[in-house]
Amino acid sequence: MSYSPLKLPQWAKLVFGGAVITVTIAAYNEFKPAPTGLDANIKNCLIVTFDTTRADAIGSYGNMNASTPNLDRMADAGVLFQRCMAVAPITLPSHTSILTGQYPTTHGARNNGTHHVPEDVITIAEQLSDNGFATGAVISALVLDSRYGLDQGFDFYDDNLANAEKAPMFMFRETKAADTAQRAITFLKERNGERWFLWVHFFDPHANYAPPQVFLDKANGDPYDGEIAYADSGLGEIMQFLQKTRQLDETLVVMTADHGDSMGEHGESTHGMFVYDATTHVPLIMKHPALAQGMRVNGTVSSVDITPTVLDLLDIKAQTDFDGISFASEIRPGKKGVVSRPPVYQEAMNPYYNHGWSSIRAVRDDQARYIKSPITEFYDMFRDPNELNNLLPGAETQARSYIETIDSYLADGEKDSKGGDIKSMDPEMRAALAELGYVWSDDENMLEEHGGELADPKTKVEMWEKSQHANNLVRADMLDEAELLLKEILTEDPGAILSRSALAGIFIKTERLEDAYKLLAETSMMKGARNSVFLRLCVVDRKLENGQWKEHLAAAKQMNPRDPLPWVREGDWLQNDGKSDAAIVAYTTALEIDERSAKALVGIGNIEHRRGNNKEAWTAFEKSIEYDPIAFEAWYNLGVVAESMGDSNKALGYYDKALELQENHLLTLVNVGNLLMHDRQFGKSAEYYQKALAVTEDDFKANYNFGLLKLATKDFSGAQLFFEQACRSEPSEMIAWNQYIRASMQLQDFTNALPAADVVLGVTPNSPFALSIAAIASAELKDDVNAKQFMARLKEVNIERWQKLVDSNATLRALVQ
């Protein structure tokens, strides 16, 4: 293997590890020679992308330790491009270029999370759909969710992550290769002989590295290689299905990756910062009987060359201009696989949008790579393939043509689809935000903003690594240590959007709301701000009661109109404010944006339950779970509905599922404790109350119900203790004061019972119960004057209660005679 696996520091072990699950290892075989040459029919097309996969991690690219049998068979039977370059070291820009044949400067989707694919960009799916193909995509991670616009032209865009586990903090939620492959096969099974195009995305090689044990073993314990082996097996399942259904020989199969991973090279542990070969040299393999078999193409090509080549092979006339070039004629049988193209363009915009540093632009061909950044770089790729010896200054003459090439790529301007920062919002929104104190620069020229004053990422890479460390400290709940490190990072790197977000999260969790609000307001004005920043501002604003949350919400909606979450949050807040009808409208809008929005369905279910419409609530919660089986709120609320309908056993089952997903959820723990107490399973009930109090020791419901349990088991001292804490937590809850009085009276603790009765009488002066207790306690404490007064008041309020007290208590009887 040509790269050295990164030796992870101790903190990183909090993230990366192996998981043991049961899987099937799949592979296809070439059973018999297929028809070859121009007479072979190319009917369908399958494009498979592995996320975060270096070319040198694949067996057919020279890695003798790899376990990629399906890719290796593809290469043996097809065409392997030795030097394919990704356009960017992150997922959305690179995939957009793969599926459009355009550089990011042309299509505009420049960064993950902040950008989307504009509607006027024409994807390969749109072109094939217009030519009668059934088009499908199977996506394995949130980063390619349809809200980011890459679903254009697909009849079926399966970004359903229902089978995905909950993602570790700061990681993308993802489905695993076995699930991805089965969803792809489902699409293929539904085809009825028509031509089809399918794109399948395997996210497994991206961190968090946790391959099934069988693949970890095949990779000799290397988790990254194990994930690639797992993805390869998923590809094998799809190929095996095509083979069994006799579609393989009529299907053009293309495999590539969106980018690689640095693995510690150039000081970068993962990817996103740089465009060296470690993160941009990706595999590209094409297979079909109409192509040459076993061909190796040595020239440098780009991911933007895939779409024009595929359309050419399918004999489909292009509907748009490409930055890429078709090599279809050069990879046919009898050809030599000689390709010639200008140097390929590459960029890294993540440093600019997520940190406020300079972007990185580059061009690369067989001989050299030139990098345009504050510290320019030029590498001889023959003599220095690891790019360790920058020839600048000193090689300006050799670099001149590359400089001219990159300048020519940028000469016609750059498209940028972010379009959601404050400067791009409509005038009314800008005015509303200005009223809230937002200020921004009027400089609209990105290239001018990229002047020499911006830091070169090469000088800041240690800050990126520190931010990764800080994230892992947050994940480990080491908040004090994380806060210190994040503040250190932001002192040196004030534009670090993700570090700002992490610090704001700490402020919110520790109830430092003013600090959180100030930090989030500053962040919202930065180039890389997401709509999540404005949603967090809403949360903090509502807690601070500033009255400006609706303006922040409107900004979040405008920043990404395809995101249902702002509408869901609006529904939640309106529901909390008692505006159920308006909340339903918000939830319905969210479902119009994304019909699979589990959170919107949960919101609707909550409202229907509160209205007494348990059937409608049940339907909404079950639909939510269908779309997202780890929707914790849906399982919890199904338990609430079942409990309200009197089905305790079913409620316990739902609550158990909720606790599997979120073991420390306070209300679920209390509800289970209540059900067990009512079933007289006092020991088990006590365990759940104890767990609830371990989460929040002063929670009213946990303390109050634990007090009831103690009363039921005649542990009056324990009952008094828990009721006292309940009264401290919610002093206005008279029900807790009444139970505290009962426990105190059982202990004959008149000294505490009397002031508790006074509290109740302060709220309900005519409470017969409190007057009775006050009279008895006063008498026992030898305060005859007050005892007589309380008895007199009781007689006025409830003479029957007074008479019973006189008849049963000799001391009071003597006082009133």
Side-chain angles (χ1 to χ4, degrees), residues 422-423 430 433-434 436-442 521-522 524-526:
I422 290 178
K423 291 188 288 185
R430 285 166 61 101
L433 292 173
L436 300 183
Y438 290 91
V439 182
W440 52 87
S441 168
D442 289 328
E522 292 173 353
S524 69
M525 293 181 281
M526 294 181 171

Side-chain angles (χ1 to χ4, degrees), residues 584-657:
I584 288 288
V585 172
Y587 291 134
T588 302
T589 304
L591 289 170
E592 290 171 355
I593 296 170
D594 180 2
E595 65 180 7
R596 304 181 65 86
S597 176
K599 293 182 183 297
L601 289 164
V602 167
I604 291 173
N606 281 332
I607 291 175
E608 295 296 351
H609 172 60
R610 289 173 180 173
R611 289 174 170 174
N613 302 327
N614 281 331
K615 182 178 179 181
E616 290 80 0
W618 192 281
T619 299
F621 294 137
E622 286 202 321
K623 180 69 72 172
S624 174
I625 289 170
E626 176 188 337
Y627 291 155
D628 186 1
I630 66 169
F632 155 80
E633 301 91 341
W635 290 106
Y636 166 74
N637 282 293
L638 277 172
V640 172
V641 173
E643 189 176 349
S644 70
M645 296 171 69
D647 194 335
S648 298
N649 289 333
K650 186 171 285 187
L652 283 172
Y654 290 131
Y655 287 143
D656 284 345
K657 182 63 178 179

Side-chain angles (χ1 to χ4, degrees), residues 231-251:
D232 179 85
S233 180
L235 169 64
E237 290 187 46
I238 299 170
M239 300 281 277
Q240 193 175 68
F241 175 82
L242 292 175
Q243 190 174 56
K244 287 181 178 179
T245 55
R246 300 186 178 183
Q247 297 181 77
L248 186 59
D249 288 343
E250 57 187 20
T251 300

